[in-house]
Amino acid sequence: MSSAAPRTGTIGVRVRFFAVLRERAGCGERSFELPAGSTVGDLLELLGREIPELPSGVAAAVDRTYAPRDRELRDGQELALIPPVSGG
Amino acid sequence: MTSPPAPSPRVVEADVSPDPIDPSRLVERVGHPDEGAVVLFLGTVRTRNREREVTSLEYEAYGAMAREELAAIAREAAERHGASRIAAVHRTGTLRPGQASVGIAVAAAHRDAAYRTSRDVIEEVKRRLPVWKKESYADGSSAWLDGHPVAGRAGEPTGPTAGAAGPSGEDQP
């Protein structure tokens, strides 16, 4: 095996889906194993290949706080996909 | 009390729950003889939306985050405008037309601060609270509303949230 990851090992991240994304994903949450050093953007890209029509306006929250795509994920964190919101 | 600890003495309540909203309880929570104004805002479910007859609305929330975010929104607005106390609640679950989906009570020394704070809270709720609604229509169909992409989508945080240090409320309306 010659995976050229800059770091060794993997991390586990729990992904939460809500509303329209929950329906498209067919579940409210799933666990993912990612190479250490993966970012929010890496995970979104992976999810985009698995979930049909991942809306372009989706935001991400890491451990309940909105997070940018270049945020590096750590083992055990929870990433929530936040589709366009409609509260009020 | 199931609410998490309030992050600011100005926020006496910030909750997202399936419990019906009791307006007089919200007003009682913020009222104080030192204040000259209490503004109560209720957002209610409309019968018609986009030319369709709505029979019910279902609200889904990312509960843990929504509570923290609502507390942060309330704190920022109160600090920005100098309101003394806020109680804000948002419903989850199934609501019928006429029922309140959101309730915001603000107390301030003067009416201007109370009105401005109340307005800021509801606008920020619509911009960034992780809550979604699905409308059910008279013809039996249903649909998630399009909603507002959270600013900076998966980009910049939209504001300081509970636990995040740093100055808050500096973005002026």
Side-chain angles (χ1 to χ4, degrees):
Chain A
M1 298 295 271
S2 63
S3 104
R7 297 170 213 202
T8 55
T10 60
I11 56 168
V13 175
R14 187 161 76 123
V15 177
R16 308 264 320 251
F17 305 102
F18 295 95
V20 66
L21 291 180
R22 178 175 49 72
E23 291 182 351
R24 285 184 194 161
C27 61
E29 62 176 79
R30 265 180 68 186
S31 292
F32 285 83
E33 216 166 79
L34 301 162
S38 295
T39 63
V40 167
D42 294 334
L43 183 47
L44 288 177
E45 199 176 306
L46 176 71
L47 290 164
R49 289 198 291 269
E50 298 199 4
I51 301 172
E53 302 171 66
L54 190 67
S56 59
V58 70
V62 175
D63 288 347
R64 306 185 308 282
T65 301
Y66 289 111
R69 285 178 192 256
D70 61 4
R71 172 78 51 80
E72 188 174 315
L73 293 164
R74 293 195 303 271
D75 187 53
Q77 284 188 319
E78 176 176 288
L79 180 137
L81 292 185
I82 310 290
V85 299
S86 51
Chain B
M1 283 284 112
T2 53
S3 308
S8 155
R10 298 178 199 248
V11 182
V12 296
E13 181 171 344
D15 202 11
V16 176
S17 96
D19 299 336
I21 292 173
D22 179 349
S24 49
R25 191 186 64 81
L26 291 178
V27 169
E28 279 167 23
R29 291 221 62 186
V30 300
H32 189 278
D34 288 349
E35 314 304 337
V38 173
V39 165
L40 172 70
F41 173 82
L42 295 178
T44 55
V45 176
R46 267 197 310 261
T47 306
R48 294 191 74 78
N49 193 23
R50 299 182 303 181
E51 306 301 311
R52 302 188 71 180
E53 188 182 341
V54 176
T55 52
S56 68
L57 259 185
E58 188 171 334
Y59 283 88
E60 176 173 332
Y62 179 10
M65 178 177 175
R67 282 180 206 102
E68 294 177 3
E69 200 69 15
L70 184 56
I73 288 168
R75 185 191 69 230
E76 288 164 26
E79 288 175 354
R80 190 177 300 133
H81 300 295
S84 307
R85 273 181 304 285
I86 298 192
V89 293
H90 199 299
R91 281 290 311 269
T92 56
T94 304
L95 278 77
R96 307 211 167 275
Q99 291 186 309
S101 54
V102 57
I104 302 162
V106 182
H110 302 287
R111 65 187 179 281
D112 194 47
Y115 274 120
R116 286 171 186 269
T117 302
S118 174
R119 182 65 193 256
D120 270 18
V121 171
I122 186 61
E123 297 303 330
E124 282 300 302
V125 160
K126 286 177 169 289
R127 255 178 227 130
R128 66 189 235 217
L129 199 68
V131 171
W132 302 272
K133 59 188 160 202
K134 188 180 203 176
E135 287 181 338
S136 293
Y137 306 105
D139 64 6
S141 63
S142 61
W144 291 101
L145 296 197
D146 288 340
H148 309 273
V150 176
R153 331 164 155 72
E156 308 74 53
T158 53
T161 49
S168 63
E170 277 158 7
D171 48 318
Q172 292 300 319

